[in-house]
Amino acid sequence: MNRPALPWILASLLLTLVLVVLGMRIGSYDTDYALIGRALMHYNPQDPTHLVLAELRLPRILLALLAGGGLAFSGYLMQAMVNNPLADPYLLGTASGASLGAIFCFSFLSSLTLGGFYLPPLFALAGALGTTLVVVAVGTKRGQIIPTQLLLAGVAVGSLTTAIGGVFTFLSATQEKLRSITFWAAGSFERAGWNVLPYPAVALAASLGLFVFLQKDLNILLLGEERAQGLGVDVARTRWLLLLTASVLTGCVVALCGPIGFVGLVVPHLTRWLLGVTGRANPLFCVLLGGNFLLACDLLARLLYPPAGLPVGLVTALFGVPFFVYLLRNKG
């Protein structure tokens, strides 16, 4: 049964505001709320405090919100694509494939930009899409997706791409690149900057806009492949769109933040639990909830190990692994 979405969306927006303010406040550089207000209202690039807030903390906060929203929505789409509550970019190997593409770019390219275009998201997209295609091919039998087979294929292919990425990492040209890739691989927002924010922002906005028009097909697909075909849904076309969209979102996020796990598993479940399975506002709420979840995890990471903070991927795993075990035991 679907529930009213507006109260939950308003509560999520209020939580976003609170988390953003806390994110601006917490860090190695001492600030207070009055100083934050002055920096935002009357920005002075000559003031080092204003510079820290505007060039370091605010881009990091926005990247965490966009990354969380992108991973959550990617998981939401993947669970609809295979009609399996355990599907997410991490478990289906999409994140591992994106990592492989990004690691190749970081390790072997002398420059990460070409004509002003930042290359890692492009390589990550290629890796994410290629890996997901292999997993879907292995997990399909006689044109039908076998959920258990798909998940096992995701684990196997993801392990293989992770191993290849490890080889690329140790073949990196310099010790500095090796350290950078190792830290990135645990999940972090250290690459946050105004120059990279458009990549996940455009991908997420385009994905949400697309599925405003495909929400009905998405909900019908949750009923199962045979029933969806009987109700007139072009299942093959819809699944290809889901696959491509999830790969684009995952590739953009992983290229910038590393393979952050379990966001795409936990948040779609919370969305359906709070709003129902087929609510029209589910995609938007899923994005808001995912952004808040990842931003909260980043704040917790910074509080647990100040001033640099733990890699955020470690914190999401602390929540995600118990949730995954709960799903295994209670959802069959």
Side-chain angles (χ1 to χ4, degrees), residues 170-211:
F170 284 100
L171 292 177
S172 297
T174 65
Q175 192 70 21
E176 182 181 350
K177 280 189 175 184
L178 177 61
R179 286 195 299 268
S180 176
I181 293 171
T182 301
F183 189 79
W184 164 87
S188 73
F189 301 117
E190 297 304 316
R191 295 181 183 272
W194 293 108
N195 60 318
V196 300
L197 288 177
Y199 296 96
V202 170
L204 185 56
S207 301
L208 274 175
L210 174 64
F211 283 95

Side-chain angles (χ1 to χ4, degrees), residues 64-134:
L65 289 171
L66 290 169
L71 290 174
F73 193 44
S74 180
Y76 184 87
L77 296 178
M78 284 189 164
Q79 289 174 16
M81 181 180 73
V82 301
N83 198 17
N84 189 301
L86 296 181
D88 89 326
Y90 195 79
L91 294 175
L92 289 185
T94 307
S96 300
S99 297
L100 179 62
I103 288 173
F104 179 87
C105 189
F106 294 143
S107 299
F108 300 117
L109 297 188
S110 57
S111 175
L112 297 180
T113 59
L114 180 64
F117 187 79
Y118 190 58
L119 293 175
L122 182 63
F123 279 77
L125 169 59
L129 186 58
T131 302
T132 309
L133 285 173
V134 172

Side-chain angles (χ1 to χ4, degrees), residues 142-180:
R142 297 175 183 173
Q144 300 288 325
I145 288 178
I146 311 299
T148 304
Q149 189 170 316
L150 187 78
L151 290 172
L152 292 174
V155 172
V157 175
S159 298
L160 177 61
T161 54
T162 299
I164 297 173
V167 173
F168 288 168
T169 299
F170 284 100
L171 292 177
S172 297
T174 65
Q175 192 70 21
E176 182 181 350
K177 280 189 175 184
L178 177 61
R179 286 195 299 268
S180 176

Side-chain angles (χ1 to χ4, degrees), residues 205-288:
S207 301
L208 274 175
L210 174 64
F211 283 95
V212 164
F213 298 101
L214 293 176
Q215 176 72 10
K216 182 180 178 182
D217 289 354
L218 198 62
N219 290 336
I220 294 174
L221 195 60
L222 293 171
L223 300 174
E225 183 173 336
E226 292 184 1
R227 294 183 67 182
Q229 288 177 337
L231 292 171
V233 174
D234 188 337
V235 174
R237 186 200 67 172
T238 304
R239 277 187 169 154
W240 276 110
L241 283 172
L242 291 169
L243 176 65
L244 181 60
T245 303
S247 298
V248 168
L249 287 173
T250 304
C252 285
V253 172
V254 169
L256 301 176
C257 311
I260 300 171
F262 299 104
V263 179
L265 176 70
V266 174
V267 176
H269 280 278
L270 294 178
T271 299
R272 290 190 292 267
W273 180 57
L274 293 173
L275 298 188
V277 175
T278 59
R280 295 187 63 183
N282 280 19
L284 175 61
F285 183 67
C286 185
V287 169
L288 290 173

Side-chain angles (χ1 to χ4, degrees), residues 21 24-25 30-42 47 49-50 53:
V21 173
M24 295 288 284
R25 175 74 174 83
D30 188 37
T31 58
D32 56 39
Y33 298 115
L35 182 58
I36 293 171
R38 289 196 299 272
L40 294 178
M41 297 292 292
H42 307 286
D47 189 321
T49 305
H50 288 201
L53 292 173

Side-chain angles (χ1 to χ4, degrees), residues 11-28:
S12 293
L13 290 173
L14 179 60
L15 179 60
T16 301
L17 179 61
V18 172
L19 291 173
V20 167
V21 173
L22 289 175
M24 295 288 284
R25 175 74 174 83
I26 296 172
S28 57

